[in-house]
Amino acid sequence: MEAILQYLLTGLSVGSVYAMIALGFYVMWSAAKAVNFTYGDVFMLGGVLTVVLVEMGLPLLLAGGGALAIAALAGAVIERVFVRPFNREANAIGWMLTTIAVGIMLESFTTITYGPLGRPLQTPFVEQPIRIGGSGIYPQELILPVALIIVTFALEGFYRRTVLGRAMRAVAFNRVAAGLVGIDADRITLLAFALAGGIGALAGFLIAPVIQASSTMGVVVGLKGFMVAIIAGIANAKGVVIVGVVYGVMEKMIEGYLSTAARDAIGFTIMILALLIFPQGLFGRREVQKV
């Protein structure tokens, strides 16, 4: 029983990271029907930049805020320079190649300047684990699901209760119609990628004290976050949150009862089977176009 509780708590923490990454993909896809495939590296910036800024003498929260701002700016720049010019047509896929290339360059540059090894991000929440029913977990890990809940409800409130959020919903529903009523769809898309960059960096900032910040920390996490978004139905925010958390718990159960090597093999197999059974995603709906 203690082992199950341990895997459940740890899986909830990891799953919250996947869910936040998937939320970022949801935000980008809703606005542009395109995503930033270097999003895992934007997640990485949240951890690495915080470590660098702390080492420069900034307080932790100020360093984290600075890292989030830089990552949001990076997301906006990537949209403007590497996504928008290659996403002019309905079936364009050039943005896939350009964003993948940017991710490789960003990771290589970080490895050269930051170093290939992970560095710890010291916080008071990773010094002593909390005991819950015989299981131990750091307070920092418990912050992640709390942050996920806050981000999810804040995003929902933003979309429903602010003018900018409603404009984003309008662009997501029909980009052409939104433009006809005076909404600058390109500007909204730019802001959506910046918002997604901030969400991804927040996940990197919060998990860095647990796993150490490194130049490669976002490679697999970004891929899993994208797969979570696809399996859930990338246009459904609540769905990607649920699938992200469930996948994180499932991973830890597989890792605990089988092995670390089996974790990704079984996890990705289940994802592929789920996509074969539900091509539109578990929470997705078939899109109908009138011609």
Side-chain angles (χ1 to χ4, degrees), residues 3 5 10 50 52 94 100 107 143 147 155 193 213:
L5 183 58
T10 308
T50 302
V52 171
I100 290 172
E107 183 182 334
I143 291 175
L155 193 61
F193 272 68

Side-chain angles (χ1 to χ4, degrees), residues 33-46:
K33 293 298 182 285
V35 297
N36 174 12
F37 275 116
T38 186
Y39 195 52
D41 294 295
V42 175
F43 160 82
M44 173 268 293
L45 288 178

